[in-house]
Amino acid sequence: MFTFDIDEIPFSSRGSWLDISRVVGLHQRADDLHLVSHQNGMHGVLALVPLVLGERVEVEVVATPSVLRWQHPSGVVEVVFDGTESLRIRGKGLGLRIDDAAAVLTPFTGTYLFTEPGTRSAVFTSYETGRRYRVSPLLGDLEVVGGGALGVRERAVVAAGEQWEVAVEEFTAAKPPYENQRSFDQLRESAAGQFLDYVDSLTPWRNERTPGAERAAYVLWSATVDPLGYLGRESILMSKHWMDKVWSWDHCFNALALAEGIPDVALDQFLAPFDYQDDAGAPPDSVTHSEVLYNYVKPPIHGWALVGLRRRFPRALSSAQLEDVYGKLARWTGFWLDHRRVEGHRLPYYQHGNDSGWDNATTFDRDRLIESPDLAAFLILQLDVLAGLAEELGRDGSHWRAERELMLTALVDELWDGNDLIARGADSGEPSTATSLLTLLPIVVGDLLPPEIRARLAERIEAHLTDYGPATEIPGSEHYESDGYWRGPIWAPSTVLVESGLRRSGFTELADLVSARFRALCEKSGFAENFDAVTGEGLRDRAYSWTASAYLILAGEAEARAVAQTSHV
């Protein structure tokens, strides 16, 4: 089984809200690995410190999807998951200090450590997560340091000796004593088998041409959490680093990656944010364990995504499922038509860059409230999908088609200046800067656009293309920033949307080039939140699920094209 860099990808298991990583906060990386919980936010709860004769030592860390290992000349420590709330840790020759990661303890905050009466287990209680962490000895004894005392700075459990083993559990107020039902090796073999089944489901097409497939699948596997808190469905977080939420457009790419192999879970990914549509029809900006945020929305790419999902699903959606999806998309589209159009205007507007998903794109430099061509394009596709769904369900879809034609006409009449598609201020009417890749996303509309507009969009997209994919700003321009978030770096969602639009518009060679370069980028630099457009270096969060999904989407489609081409030879 392959290994991965623990400094980039956390060690976790499908369904768990726990992981082991050095990443303990926003851009915060500790020297030692930590047990990290994502309940009530991201919290590095317990530091895991390797010891020899009671002293911390430097170790080599080797991570696979089934087991995490510290290696030292004196011995080894290994960790496996036992379900989603428990871990098993064993050592031989090498000890481990399980240390409270909080720096300060008061009677009301921080972590409290005590030994359970009548047992040999030690329990940490965490104010930050609101959970308890029990360490139970299975082989050997535990040394409890600072247990039962308030105000001490040292609170730890030490496991050491020639051979030892412990279980670590996360729970709420109470839980029966840990039952050692399976051996460590049985747990490891089970985890390896479960992950292999997952990979086989997602990537039956993988081969030597797709060396990133298993690692991409692991990023999704390890970022998946069971239903808990506000997330009522099994969900893929953006990351089990600090980006531990489901945002209301990110989820579409994860759904697409799962659609062919795990269709029921894929549909849950697609629907998850819609569980919290507000009275106006808008899904929240983001959902996670303990919060639902409505301060922004996200772009309506859901009609586009639904077409891709249905194309990939191995079976048709039921009538009940279609009715459910139709109702949610209708309300979401109605939000833009009824609440985000200036009176007398045909085009809807974003209130902020965050609404577009491109938080700080240069398109928003002159005006924050803009009527943007990408927004119009997404709605054109969504209106088209709604019309088709209505007719499929035996309803009249003519009003959706009328709105689609209105939006398409307005996009061309009002935002095409004869040379470029531009955004404009919703109040001022002034044109925005037109240097961002954002204004080129209407390529997704494909042949609904006039040929001259499609050709110009493709020409401009090609100008954004670096050796690694389409940069969000052209390198060398006055606006370009190498680590500027949406002001230069390459991102997965924009790449997938651009590639899809180029292919739909007939620019297949350019689409192939975009796909190939981005896949090579991921194989070189992993699955980061975004990438330096010139060097290809991964930036920000380094284990981002929509990046992994984008790789799987593009690689799977490329393999399907290769098979189809071979069959025609």
Side-chain angles (χ1 to χ4, degrees), residues 97-248:
R97 178 184 173 102
I98 302 174
D99 203 345
D100 165 36
V104 178
L105 176 71
T106 73
F108 307 107
T109 63
T111 302
Y112 172 54
L113 171 63
F114 64 93
T115 301
E116 269 187 335
T119 75
R120 297 188 301 148
S121 299
V123 179
F124 295 89
T125 70
S126 169
Y127 179 84
E128 288 75 19
T129 66
R131 301 296 183 272
R132 297 162 188 252
Y133 302 87
R134 181 169 62 194
V135 184
S136 300
L138 307 179
L139 177 64
D141 295 318
L142 294 177
E143 177 190 357
V144 179
V145 180
L150 293 176
V152 299
R153 297 185 65 87
E154 196 174 21
R155 297 174 299 280
V157 172
V158 179
E162 181 54 31
Q163 290 191 61
W164 56 267
E165 186 169 347
V166 301
V168 181
E169 305 165 87
E170 181 181 54
F171 61 100
T172 53
K175 189 174 185 179
Y178 179 82
E179 292 187 20
N180 186 2
Q181 296 180 330
R182 291 188 289 176
S183 72
F184 188 99
D185 291 332
Q186 287 173 328
L187 291 171
R188 179 184 58 198
E189 291 168 7
S190 175
Q194 290 174 39
F195 176 66
L196 183 58
D197 289 344
Y198 183 84
V199 176
D200 286 344
S201 296
L202 263 60
T203 64
W205 39 261
R206 69 187 188 280
N207 55 43
E208 69 281 355
R209 293 190 299 267
T210 59
E214 287 189 347
R215 189 168 278 101
Y218 180 72
V219 171
L220 298 186
W221 165 275
S222 63
T224 301
V225 292
D226 280 345
L228 194 66
Y230 284 114
L231 284 171
R233 307 168 189 260
E234 183 184 57
S235 299
I236 301 175
L237 305 177
M238 275 304 97
S239 173
K240 279 184 184 163
H241 288 155
W242 60 85
M243 301 295 281
D244 54 353
K245 299 182 181 183
V246 175
W247 276 269
S248 291

Side-chain angles (χ1 to χ4, degrees), residues 176-339:
Y178 179 82
E179 292 187 20
N180 186 2
Q181 296 180 330
R182 291 188 289 176
S183 72
F184 188 99
D185 291 332
Q186 287 173 328
L187 291 171
R188 179 184 58 198
E189 291 168 7
S190 175
Q194 290 174 39
F195 176 66
L196 183 58
D197 289 344
Y198 183 84
V199 176
D200 286 344
S201 296
L202 263 60
T203 64
W205 39 261
R206 69 187 188 280
N207 55 43
E208 69 281 355
R209 293 190 299 267
T210 59
E214 287 189 347
R215 189 168 278 101
Y218 180 72
V219 171
L220 298 186
W221 165 275
S222 63
T224 301
V225 292
D226 280 345
L228 194 66
Y230 284 114
L231 284 171
R233 307 168 189 260
E234 183 184 57
S235 299
I236 301 175
L237 305 177
M238 275 304 97
S239 173
K240 279 184 184 163
H241 288 155
W242 60 85
M243 301 295 281
D244 54 353
K245 299 182 181 183
V246 175
W247 276 269
S248 291
W249 71 311
D250 313 40
H251 67 110
C252 291
F253 300 93
N254 291 339
L256 287 167
L258 269 57
E260 186 174 359
I262 319 177
D264 292 337
V265 178
L267 187 59
D268 271 342
Q269 303 309 305
F270 180 74
L271 294 174
F274 289 100
D275 290 342
Y276 293 97
Q277 270 183 293
D278 68 6
D279 291 341
D285 182 45
S286 64
V287 185
T288 191
H289 172 270
S290 51
E291 66 178 20
V292 180
L293 300 182
Y294 291 93
N295 49 331
Y296 298 105
V297 292
K298 284 294 174 276
I301 67 167
H302 302 84
W304 169 85
L306 183 62
V307 171
L309 287 174
R310 297 188 73 183
R311 185 172 66 246
R312 290 171 171 82
F313 279 157
R315 58 180 178 271
L317 293 178
S318 68
S319 296
Q321 289 172 324
L322 287 175
E323 286 281 4
D324 184 41
V325 170
Y326 176 79
K328 288 175 167 59
L329 279 186
R331 292 182 60 213
W332 178 214
T333 307
F335 164 82
W336 292 100
L337 301 181
D338 299 336
H339 301 283

Side-chain angles (χ1 to χ4, degrees), residues 353-367:
N354 288 4
D355 283 349
S356 73
W358 293 51
D359 309 6
N360 67 334
T362 56
T363 314
F364 296 88
D365 282 356
R366 293 181 184 170
D367 287 284

